[in-house]
Amino acid sequence: MRSQPIVGAAVFTAVMEAAGYRCQCGGECGHPHTKGEGRCQHEHDHYTSKHGRRVRLMAAPVDPLATDVTAARLPAGELRAWCPDCHAGAARLARKRLPTASEAQCGLFDL
């Protein structure tokens, strides 16, 4: 049996089984994942070849910037299996794409 969190185990299991216990990142993290034909190759409870650490996938929203409260309310069908590296990379890229404070004002005070 693969490891799973105690809280939300049913949701976690549903997400992982739908993903085949493999990270579902398709390049949102900024890496093309060419070896995995466009999809991250990290599998739950397997070791990475580069660093030898164990990969623990997480069930998280497709939007990496979603809050914990929002994520907790989502059903399994709206969650995705992410490895920590891809989730962090996708969140970093999503934050970079957010409009800056000056862009968000839309020229409100432009004369």
Side-chain angles (χ1 to χ4, degrees):
M1 179 155 148
R2 297 170 188 248
S3 66
Q4 60 185 356
I6 294 172
V7 177
V11 173
F12 178 83
T13 302
V15 172
M16 292 304 138
E17 286 177 353
Y21 287 90
R22 185 174 162 199
C23 180
Q24 291 180 297
C25 178
E28 294 88 352
C29 65
H31 298 287
H33 301 300
T34 53
K35 290 183 181 178
E37 297 176 0
R39 184 174 169 196
C40 179
Q41 290 186 302
H42 287 156
E43 293 184 21
H44 187 65
D45 275 351
H46 287 253
Y47 289 94
T48 60
S49 59
K50 187 174 182 180
H51 302 290
R53 63 183 170 84
R54 185 170 262 192
V55 175
R56 303 283 187 178
L57 296 182
M58 62 181 118
V62 174
D63 176 11
L65 297 181
T67 65
D68 292 341
V69 173
T70 303
R73 292 179 181 159
L74 293 174
E78 295 183 35
L79 299 174
R80 167 186 272 188
W82 290 93
C83 72
D85 295 337
C86 288
H87 190 264
R92 193 172 28 257
L93 283 176
R95 273 189 226 100
K96 283 183 181 179
R97 293 179 181 139
L98 287 176
T100 61
S102 60
E103 292 172 348
Q105 288 184 1
C106 301
L108 181 63
F109 298 105
D110 291 344
L111 298 175

